[in-house]
Amino acid sequence: MSGVARRTVDVAVVGSGPSGLVAARRLAAAGADVVVLEREAAPGGVPRHSAHTGYGLRDRHRLMTGPAYAARLAEEADAAGATLRTEATVTGWAGPRALAVTSPAGLEELDAGAVVLATGARERPRPARLVAGDRPMGVVTTGLLQQLVHLHDRLSASRAVVVGAELVSWSAVLTLREAGCATVLMTSEHDVAEAPAPLRWLGPRALGVPLATRTRVARILGRGRVEGVEVVDTRSGARSQVACDLVVFTGSWRAEGELARTAGLQVDPASGAPVVDTELRTSAPGVFAAGNLVHPVDTADVAALGGAHVADAVRRWLEAPALPPRGVALAAEAPLAWVAPTVLRPGDRPPPRRRLLAWSTEARALAAVRLTQDGREIARRRLPWAVSPGRVLRLPAGLLDAVDLAGGPVRLTLD
Amino acid sequence: MAEGAAPGAATATSPAAGGVPTYDVAVVGAGVVGCAVARELAGFDLSVALLEARDDVGDVTSKANTAIWHTGFDASPGTLEARLVARGWQLLGDYAEATGIPLERTGALLVAWDDEQRDALPGLERKARENGYERCEIVDAERVYALEPALGPGARGGLVVPDEGIVCPWTTTLALALDAQARGTAVRLGHHVDGVEVGATHTRLVTSAGPVDARWVVGAAGLGADHLDRAFGHERFTVTPRRGQLLVFDKLARRLVDRVVLPVPTAKGKGVLVSPTVYGNVMVGPTAEDLADRRATGTTEEGLAGLLARSEGLVPALADEELTATYAGLRAATEHRDYVVEVDAAQRYLCLGGIRSTGLTSSMALGEHVAALLADAGVELTPRTDLPPPPAMPPIGEAQRRPYADAERIAADPDYGRVVCFCERVTRGEVRDALASPLPPSDLGGVRRRTRATMGRCQAFFCGAEVAAMLVEGARGGAR
């Protein structure tokens, strides 16, 4: 095709959220030629429009607001010598490690020695949740809500229903409060709200938000503009209507995995995430993935530390591009929906932060994780905390010590 | 120069300064049919007004169509519908090529899922021949799976209809409306017709935005066609809205379905089909529910759950794909099996009623038919020789070269390289163009239908705020 510029780089990082920026910084500091492709007009990813504090704890050992955190990570990547390109959308693949890019400068094929996919995650919108009714204005996700409020100062609503009671749901409540909109109801389909216990207890009291558990939003009311929602008590089947002028669908995360799919990478159907090993290699040589793309979702600092982890794996690949040894597959079984990473190979490092990340679809007050391989239990560990859906489950990687890396697939489940 | 001022177009006459303009023809309803009729009539030396109750064209039934470009192979032979769909297939196919309306000649495969359905295939093939369509071919199950490998188990055979296709209903309506407008039609949005006063030489249409006079009135009022017909004193039909709910799957599912996969039709309707869309998605639906409420465009829990189960039976791999949209549309069904197209010469009124989902395909043929009926009724139709070229529509179909992938366009205007809606790859330049067009969107829905922005799998998670801001800025710019 004519008019397409061609460039080669050592590393192309797709996405400039915390994991992409930290990976870029580390690789650039090590001397690699790194280009970060960000489709938005500014780098930083989702923290950019999450104005409350809570960022930076695990990676920077201090607390910052989302925008400050995003700005700092971008500055550091830039200072280390990475090229940050905004308004640069990767639209597909031009080769095994070559990206097709659209930007105001034109079309480009960026041929990279290694590609790091760090495209993050998004919330499942209303259609994916099969909520019936008309399609009035005033139905949003947290992502859209926070952009409307923080980037565009544009929200006209006074009564919101927040669907979901995850960590991000409370982030939505705070954003609504800041915009002068009351949260008249928060719903959770589970027996207990998904957010961590302190927030679960404090949230409703401190913020005055009524929380309805075992409650499903079945229908949106209103035609031109939202007028309310119909909710169902999932135990009794009783229905009632709640008046509101905004519905915020929160959480229920899904990997933003289009590039993983179009590259033909192995993808976990439960999360939409590309399958990775503990070095964060995907199923394609020289293509890596990090951050919430591989675990939708954990907190931003965990994503950032994944970016640091993948950088070292990328560096080794650039030094000696060799195929990794055969590994053992790790699979989640109900009530776990997914686990990441899912490939264990001899000689590889443990996963980032020495944690396996998993997602449960059920709440368990007392739970133990169990690993089986070739029909026998190889590890079992009682968890010191409760398991909740809508929240990532962090498991010590030491569980994997018992895995026979020459054996058959490993299954992970909850007891 | 919005309307009435196109060079060579006949203009409405005003009997007195400040009086009510009098048009030769007023078309009531700017759905796909009304727009096609207005465009056709504006091709003659007539002054035409197109009145629409909503704030945008194609904003009621036309926007929620199943988007099939029908050959008419399965129509009831001998009906007006059969004739006009076959003719409209040709006209729309040609018009799409001339204007850039997204249209794909995918072909269709009608699949029999049991022996009874398989035994019905020869009858369907015969019916197609009676309709003048000769290219159907009965195939065995093996061939069905060779054509559509992702279909679920149980197919017993099928009927290949190579000339069916898919088309963009939004761009079709918009192209016809823009064309009508360029030919001088006065497009009057936000004009709900509340009353009809038939006079000796012209009829006064009392609308929510003031009176409009016209010598002839053509009713293309879709769900309201019977109300308008009654206002002229007729009792010919009642519109019973038939709701069709639809599921739209993510674009990554598009590889699963190559052509329109139809069920064997039953008395209840054409049944649930699986079809690729010109935007690169896969659509499953519609349901067929007869309703009393003409505004019941909401989906239902049962409807969505039923369609989801059906999807997974028809194409099991859809179970792993995301849903990007669910919606419902109302077809303007009546108690008659055919379109109701009748002339009331005494009142200078032409009625178009019961134009169901096939109206998307037949719209331009309906335009021709209306012109012929008016000529028969004594309206003098002098073809204009100075018509503007048809509009060049934005390429929002996946089979077209989208601006984000067009190096030359981006070089000429970098805004075509600024992707604002990432899922659908819609650029700032395209949204800007839509807002600056002679028929600009009035709300986010209008932006969506013109550009696809916010229509993708994230449903505005990433881009909704940006697009909303552009809409507000665009509106402000327009007001200045």
Side-chain angles (χ1 to χ4, degrees), chain B residues 309-327:
Chain B
R310 190 90 189 92
S311 307
E312 289 166 13
L314 286 165
V315 181
L318 284 176
D320 284 339
E321 300 293 343
E322 276 183 277
L323 275 174
T324 56
T326 61
Y327 64 94

Side-chain angles (χ1 to χ4, degrees), chain B residues 64-158:
Chain B
N65 191 278
T66 44
I68 310 295
W69 177 46
H70 292 286
T71 56
F73 81 97
D74 58 347
S76 296
T79 58
L80 180 66
E81 182 180 22
R83 179 159 69 81
L84 295 181
V85 170
R87 172 71 181 149
W89 178 89
Q90 184 68 49
L91 292 173
L92 181 56
D94 293 347
Y95 193 63
E97 253 167 53
T99 55
I101 294 169
L103 181 146
E104 288 184 46
R105 299 166 187 262
T106 57
L109 174 64
L110 192 139
V111 179
W113 295 98
D114 58 35
D115 290 341
E116 194 184 330
Q117 292 180 0
R118 191 185 54 197
D119 295 343
L121 297 177
L124 285 164
E125 193 191 24
R126 266 197 307 281
K127 188 162 146 185
R129 272 201 299 272
E130 280 179 65
N131 282 320
Y133 185 74
E134 304 279 353
R135 282 161 47 85
C136 284
E137 183 198 345
I138 293 176
V139 294
D140 61 13
E142 196 184 336
R143 182 83 184 126
V144 166
Y145 288 109
L147 290 170
E148 291 295 336
L151 284 182
R156 301 296 174 87

Side-chain angles (χ1 to χ4, degrees), chain B residues 398-411:
Chain B
E398 278 306 293
Q400 299 169 299
R401 169 151 298 181
R402 305 274 313 280
Y404 81 83
D406 189 335
E408 277 173 36
R409 280 190 88 157
I410 300 171

